[in-house]
Amino acid sequence: MELQDFLAHVHRRELIESGSELHRLMIEASQEAMRITAELNSRYHSPDEVRALLSRLTGRPVDESVTVFPPLYSEFGRNLTLGKRVFINMGCRFQDTGGITIGDDTLIGHGCTFTTINHSLDPERRGDMVPAPIVVGRKVWFGANVTVLPGVTIGDGAVIGAGSVVTRDVEPDVIVAGVPARPIRPTGFHSISAP
């Protein structure tokens, strides 16, 4: 099985059975992601070196406008897409097997976690996994220690309060906070459409 076959499978949100060929490919990719993130997190790297390591991790070029303050963790890497002018602060974790897309101009605070896999509720099949992507729009701001759960879409211009757990979609230009995150109020601004 090739990586593209695996990515097509998870983009269809199809089950990854424990012990299957898909599961083995996922584990192999995870080993490579851990090697790259260990290198990223082991010592100081210039911003250009950080972006080069992120490009190795994701398997695609990372724009020169992206800024990441390590440490950063990713258990897969090849299903993480970063837009332009994205800023990721220290200690963030991306479980990107199911797919994470971060839109342009998004700011991610310290210690945020993005998860894209759920395990089976059947205790006999607990090792089986169901992927569900996270899609983050443009100009979103995540406070520190936010957790975003599988399958969530966050609209352009939204603000996610520190410590929130985002369990469902967030409308554009809304501030949400809490556990689970709930709308607090509009931001008072409207996101500008992509040029």
Side-chain angles (χ1 to χ4, degrees):
M1 169 166 293
E2 299 294 322
L3 177 63
Q4 293 308 320
D5 299 323
F6 178 87
L7 292 174
H9 183 90
V10 297
H11 288 168
R12 292 189 301 268
R13 297 186 180 203
E14 293 179 0
L15 183 74
I16 302 168
E17 290 187 36
S18 180
S20 68
E21 185 179 2
L22 288 163
H23 188 244
R24 287 188 294 277
L25 187 142
M26 184 183 81
I27 297 301
E28 289 172 14
S30 295
Q31 295 303 307
E32 179 62 14
M34 286 188 282
R35 277 190 286 278
I36 295 167
T37 56
E39 183 178 346
L40 174 67
N41 299 331
S42 66
R43 63 178 178 83
Y44 172 79
H45 295 280
S46 71
D48 287 339
E49 291 170 331
V50 169
R51 284 187 289 275
L53 286 163
L54 290 172
S55 294
R56 277 181 46 207
L57 177 69
T58 62
R60 66 182 66 82
V62 170
D63 193 80
E64 66 183 16
S65 64
V66 170
T67 301
V68 173
F69 289 176
L72 173 139
Y73 304 94
S74 169
E75 88 347 325
F76 190 75
R78 294 307 178 114
N79 215 356
L80 175 61
T81 303
L82 303 174
K84 294 179 180 177
R85 297 170 302 281
V86 167
F87 172 75
I88 301 172
N89 218 323
M90 296 187 306
C92 292
R93 295 167 298 279
F94 297 91
Q95 183 202 41
D96 63 290
T97 302
I100 299 173
T101 302
I102 308 292
D104 295 347
D105 301 297
T106 289
L107 308 176
I108 301 176
H110 290 84
C112 290
T113 301
F114 295 76
T115 65
T116 63
I117 295 287
N118 277 318
H119 286 275
S120 173
L121 292 176
D122 179 351
E124 300 302 318
R125 301 298 310 169
R126 190 60 42 92
D128 292 352
M129 294 164 274
V130 179
I134 292 171
V135 178
V136 176
R138 298 175 68 242
K139 300 184 179 185
V140 175
W141 173 24
F142 293 88
N145 296 310
V146 169
T147 299
V148 182
L149 298 186
V152 167
T153 296
I154 298 175
D156 294 348
V159 176
I160 315 301
S164 296
V165 177
V166 185
T167 61
R168 60 181 148 193
D169 291 355
V170 175
E171 295 294 320
D173 302 311
V174 171
I175 299 170
V176 301
V179 179
R182 300 206 185 284
I184 304 298
R185 65 178 176 82
T187 62
F189 299 93
H190 295 291
S191 298
I192 298 170
S193 302

